[in-house]
Amino acid sequence: MTEARPEQRRMTISDPQVMRALAHPARIAIMEHLNTREGGATATECAEVVGMSPSATSYHLRALAKSGLVEQAPSRGDARERVWRTFSHNWMVDAGQGAGPEARAAEQALVEAHAARDAERTRDWLRRAGDEPPEWYGVALFSDSMLLLTAAELAELNEAVLALFEPYRQVKRRADPPAGARSVAIQYKAVPLA
């Protein structure tokens, strides 16, 4: 049984050491998996998702714990079993506008690691799209829109889009998902152009 935690707020990762610790494909995958598990997961459960051995996954979990991104969760009954959970299911990376070169480089490395993961997911979809059921093939979407906005309008748009995601987050729906539900990766980026 897991202990109840208060509603979590968005965690902002700004420390260069934490960003560097997270900028590893296995750690990104582990964090993503833990973000979908309300009660947490063991190294063995995470290993199945990231395609590594439980001992290698354990190493990455300890590194994430050292960086303050995960913690040991209450046991599920077997005292030998070590369960891990994230501190927050909702986090973002932001070195800060006045960040120095070290923080900027760490932020860039982490964002590039995420972008590589997103690009691989897109390539994977394109490789298997023809074999997907028609209802899933028909709803996959790639969109690139150019909008003309003020900073206030962009802030409002970001808030509205993120609010649309909330009811569908896996951590909220995993206990009783609707029939036919699948994990769907959605990347939302809003970057002002020069």
Side-chain angles (χ1 to χ4, degrees):
M1 175 175 246
T2 58
E3 63 186 33
R5 291 191 285 174
E7 185 64 29
Q8 297 175 347
R9 294 179 186 215
R10 175 176 284 184
M11 174 197 297
T12 300
I13 300 171
S14 58
D15 183 314
Q17 288 181 306
V18 175
M19 287 187 268
R20 278 193 297 281
L22 187 53
H24 185 286
R27 293 177 189 168
I28 291 170
I30 290 167
M31 287 291 290
E32 182 177 85
H33 182 63
L34 291 176
N35 280 337
T36 67
R37 314 294 301 183
E38 185 60 41
T42 65
T44 301
E45 292 164 347
C46 290
E48 292 171 14
V49 173
V50 300
M52 301 178 90
S53 70
S55 61
T57 305
S58 229
Y59 167 80
H60 288 297
L61 281 161
R62 287 191 307 275
L64 290 167
K66 185 177 177 184
S67 296
L69 295 169
V70 302
E71 65 182 350
Q72 259 191 273
S75 173
R76 294 184 269 192
D78 182 353
R80 296 171 297 163
E81 180 180 69
R82 183 181 263 185
V83 181
W84 298 90
R85 68 181 177 194
T86 59
F87 279 106
S88 174
H89 293 290
N90 191 0
W91 52 274
M92 63 177 276
V93 175
D94 184 6
Q97 191 168 11
E102 178 189 6
R104 283 277 168 242
E107 180 182 49
Q108 184 174 344
L110 179 51
V111 170
E112 287 177 1
H114 268 279
R117 182 171 172 80
D118 294 344
E120 181 52 38
R121 285 180 166 161
T122 300
R123 286 189 292 273
D124 178 57
W125 165 259
L126 293 171
R127 283 190 291 268
R128 62 184 165 74
D131 298 326
E132 286 287 333
E135 66 270 17
W136 284 103
Y137 182 87
V139 294
L141 174 67
F142 296 92
S143 174
D144 190 359
S145 302
M146 297 295 286
L147 307 178
L148 188 59
L149 303 166
T150 66
E153 289 170 331
L154 180 54
E156 184 179 311
L157 178 65
N158 288 339
E159 188 175 315
V161 169
L162 294 177
L164 287 172
F165 293 170
E166 274 311 304
Y168 305 103
R169 292 198 182 276
Q170 284 187 357
V171 72
K172 293 181 177 183
R173 299 187 102 194
R174 188 165 289 282
D176 190 26
R182 287 173 65 176
S183 292
V184 175
I186 295 179
Q187 292 78 41
Y188 173 71
K189 299 168 192 71
V191 272
L193 304 177

